[in-house]
Amino acid sequence: MADFNDPIGADAAWWRNAVVYQVYVRSFADSDGDGIGDLPGITSRLPYLRDLGVDALWITPFYTSPQRDHGYDVADYTDVDPLFGTLKDADTLIETAHELDLRVIVDLVPNHTSDDHEWFKAALAAAPGSPERARYMFREGSGPDGSLPPNNWESVFGGPAWTRVPDGQWYLHLFDSTQPDLDWRNPEVGDMFEDVLRFWLDKGVDGFRVDVAHGLYKEESLRDQVVAEGGRASSGQVNSDSSMVSRELKDEPMWDQPEVHDVYRRWNAVLDSVGPDRMAVAEAWTQTPESMAAFVRPDELDQAFNFAWLLADWSADSFRKVVVDTLAAVAPVGASPTWVLSNHDVVRHPTRYGGGEQGLARARAATLAMLALPGSSYLYQGEELGLEQVDVHPEHREDPSWFRTGEVGRDGCRVPIPWGGDSAPYGFGPGDAQPWIPQPDEFKGLSVEAQAGVEGSTLEFYRAALAARRAHALPQGDEVTVLTGTDDVLELHRGGLRVLLNCGTTDLPLPAGTVVASSAPVADVLPPDTCVWLG
Ligand code: BGC
């Protein structure tokens, strides 16, 4: 293992201040020309990530999978899907990343397996009441002849959360019908995942991103969900509403049950048995900052994605509230906060902020404000290029939610990365091999090659911002003061660093100080949609 020389110091808790770059494996870099990104493709681009200035990469699932939900439907947790390479390619990736002082976080999907997993195939072949079925959530139906689902829960991807099998039983799937939920009350399930953790730790990974970490356990009665008028029967995830910001709590018997925390206590011990430098970050769409903080108590996971930051609307008030609430929520448990603006499940943030020039200006400004905050920032591939959400033609859409509901889905934030060249695939793969989602013509001007070394480009902005974070934000310690009383401006002070984000519509006089980073050029005034750091 490399001798990491990171700014965090001897406690080995490198993640507490890290910038983590999310790699969506099928859309990052294609080494073999099949139009789909793969592990050797990632390895070949690691120097790019090091030069960008991130500390770690999180790679979305690359395990054996029929790809019904692009890898979040795992058929074998300890092997690599041939689409993405081999176990040897995974070893090479991890080794090369460590040589470059980059940590590697892999995705763990414990709420459900693929219906192609040996366990589920055995469950289908076995009789109701068998030990094979007891690893999943099989139940009798309701109604006089059992022909109705056992309860009213809906899948996050739309439609009922239950599917009936030929012998009349139903199984639960909070996502697609090809993603049956495991029964975590069955001890075999916990044992299996402990083995999976150990397998990847032995391979040298530095951490895990825990998919649907607030899932796993369901309220034991499997009672109906109480649904507000006009509300959905199930929520808590993709396209989630803003309950984390608004605090209108919903009845969620399928999410965030107290028993789930026992799982993370067990995993904490597993990670610690390998070393203090191994971590896990929860993807937990919980309803409040406090419930998020429960996942990062000292004997549980290390971090949780702070989706409140991503869900905040473009206003100084919203951002201020999220910063204050987040810091207050994690302080009592001693965890480091996290910040995230984009990932593979949500509309890219320049588009969320209105798109076009203004959307990009706001995206850069929100990013710079985020990078000033204590804790970790999670970046999503392509945001450093200013990519927007793409309107993917229906014939190329692959998101299971599109097939289940006819809603547009998440493909638009998953379009393969443009690396260079004048025409598609813009260096994504060798030669003319076209990627699995066609890239729009605008990608030509947004490629890494088109932006590298170009003053004012979004790529150069990210590089400068990450360097400024190391030089001017991290040395200031973790104390932050969030100022109030400036309606359109988020102003925070971290030690001697003063950060201003103008969410209003008028120029503001720039206070005295040396500009050490800015999301757009500033002179005497701070224009709207701009963030500046004053040293
Ligand atoms: C992942 C999604 C996935 C879902 C089901 C989410 O947390 O981020 O991409 O569809 O879990 O595994």
Side-chain angles (χ1 to χ4, degrees):
M1 164 102 51
D3 174 22
F4 291 115
N5 176 23
D6 62 76
I8 289 110
D11 68 356
W14 57 270
W15 58 86
R16 290 184 73 91
N17 269 316
V19 175
V20 183
Y21 183 99
Q22 179 190 353
V23 171
Y24 191 69
V25 56
R26 63 190 291 123
S27 301
F28 190 61
D30 169 20
S31 73
D32 58 8
D34 64 357
I36 295 177
D38 46 43
L39 298 186
I42 300 173
T43 305
S44 72
R45 298 292 183 182
L46 289 173
Y48 166 78
L49 296 184
R50 182 209 42 208
D51 295 346
L52 184 60
V54 302
D55 303 294
L57 59 155
W58 145 36
I59 311 172
T60 58
F62 49 80
Y63 319 111
T64 315
S65 159
Q67 301 293 311
R68 300 274 181 247
D69 187 20
H70 291 170
Y72 285 98
D73 48 325
V74 181
D76 183 345
Y77 290 86
T78 55
D79 206 351
V80 173
D81 196 281
L83 257 187
F84 302 129
T86 61
L87 277 172
K88 188 152 187 321
D89 293 329
D91 291 336
T92 308
L93 193 167
I94 296 165
E95 226 175 270
T96 314
H98 287 168
E99 279 162 18
L100 296 172
D101 282 354
L102 292 165
R103 266 92 174 188
V104 179
I105 297 174
V106 296
D107 222 309
L108 189 70
V109 188
N111 180 68
H112 44 266
T113 69
S114 157
D115 61 349
D116 250 17
H117 192 283
E118 285 309 319
W119 274 7
F120 195 70
K121 291 198 260 184
L124 287 187
S130 59
E132 288 84 356
R133 287 219 173 164
R135 294 167 178 147
Y136 293 90
M137 306 287 290
F138 279 88
R139 292 292 184 277
E140 299 303 326
S142 61
D145 55 358
S147 64
L148 297 172
N151 66 25
N152 72 347
W153 297 1
E154 282 186 17
S155 151
V156 171
F157 294 157
W162 295 91
T163 289
R164 200 171 194 193
V165 299
D167 58 43
Q169 278 206 314
W170 297 74
Y171 67 90
L172 177 70
H173 51 87
L174 292 177
F175 295 88
D176 191 47
S177 56
T178 60
Q179 295 166 297
D181 279 54
L182 289 159
D183 186 351
W184 272 84
R185 291 194 159 77
N186 181 336
E188 268 190 87
V189 173
D191 292 347
M192 190 265 263
F193 277 95
E194 178 165 341
D195 291 346
V196 172
L197 281 176
R198 290 193 187 281
F199 177 87
W200 288 104
L201 287 167
D202 282 353
K203 293 228 157 268
V205 303
D206 302 280
F208 298 90
R209 175 262 189 191
V210 183
D211 188 64
V212 197
H214 61 314
L216 282 58
Y217 280 86
K218 286 82 195 169
E219 206 175 293
E220 201 161 11
S221 65
L222 297 186
R223 66 170 173 85
D224 274 356
Q225 179 181 30
V226 180
V227 187
E229 215 174 308
R232 280 186 66 172
S234 185
S235 69
Q237 198 159 27
V238 183
N239 302 327
S240 176
D241 60 32
S242 55
S243 60
M244 248 182 126
V245 176
S246 71
R247 291 187 174 237
E248 284 158 24
L249 299 190
K250 288 169 288 175
D251 179 45
E252 294 191 333
M254 67 290 285
W255 306 120
D256 204 2
Q257 299 300 306
E259 298 92 328
V260 78
H261 296 287
D262 294 335
V263 175
Y264 302 133
R265 289 189 190 102
R266 179 173 180 183
W267 291 6
N268 183 288
V270 174
L271 294 175
D272 272 2
S273 71
V274 178
D277 57 348
R278 307 304 156 111
M279 59 84 78
V281 52
E283 186 223 20
W285 290 89
T286 60
Q287 297 203 54
T288 64
E290 293 76 25
S291 51
M292 175 191 75
F295 286 79
V296 292
R297 287 176 285 196
D299 58 348
E300 296 197 35
L301 302 177
D302 300 288
Q303 292 191 321
F305 293 130
N306 179 12
F307 293 119
W309 180 250
L310 172 160
L311 293 166
D313 49 289
W314 183 258
S315 88
D317 265 352
S318 302
F319 286 129
R320 196 162 26 231
K321 180 169 165 21
V322 174
V323 174
V324 170
D325 288 357
T326 302
L327 297 178
V330 296
V333 292
S336 59
T338 70
W339 314 95
V340 56
L341 286 165
S342 278
N343 66 31
H344 66 294
D345 290 330
V346 301
V347 172
R348 283 185 175 278
H349 62 287
T351 309
R352 283 205 317 272
Y353 294 143
E357 265 179 44
Q358 187 182 49
L360 182 59
R362 290 180 170 183
R364 286 168 56 149
T367 301
L368 190 63
M370 167 173 94
L371 291 173
L373 290 163
S376 300
S377 287
Y378 284 78
L379 309 180
Y380 176 49
Q381 67 180 37
E383 69 172 76
E384 79 279 21
L385 304 176
L387 299 188
E388 282 214 39
Q389 193 77 359
V390 174
D391 185 12
V392 176
H393 191 278
E395 112 188 39
H396 297 295
R397 292 184 192 152
E398 295 198 8
D399 185 342
S401 70
W402 157 249
F403 295 116
R404 288 179 70 86
T405 63
E407 282 170 24
V408 174
R410 300 163 292 171
D411 298 299
C413 62
R414 301 172 173 182
V415 179
I417 295 297
W419 292 96
D422 289 334
S423 56
Y426 301 112
F428 172 66
D432 293 337
Q434 292 303 307
W436 65 281
I437 301 183
Q439 299 152 307
D441 294 344
E442 305 85 81
F443 271 25
K444 179 175 166 188
L446 295 172
S447 72
V448 172
E449 184 184 70
Q451 297 194 46
V454 175
E455 202 189 321
S457 71
T458 301
L459 177 58
E460 291 305 334
F461 158 70
Y462 267 77
R463 287 178 173 161
L466 291 170
R469 173 183 163 87
R470 281 180 192 269
H472 302 289
L474 297 186
Q476 306 286 344
D478 285 349
E479 284 302 307
V480 168
T481 311
V482 183
L483 274 65
T484 51
T486 40
D487 279 355
D488 288 337
V489 182
L490 170 73
E491 178 165 358
L492 41 98
H493 297 176
R494 181 174 178 182
L497 186 72
R498 195 166 169 190
V499 178
L500 293 108
L501 170 67
N502 185 354
C503 297
T505 51
T506 52
D507 288 349
L508 294 163
L510 200 60
T514 311
V515 174
V516 293
S518 68
S519 62
V522 290
D524 302 336
V525 293
L526 180 66
D529 306 324
T530 306
C531 178
V532 70
W533 293 2
L534 300 171

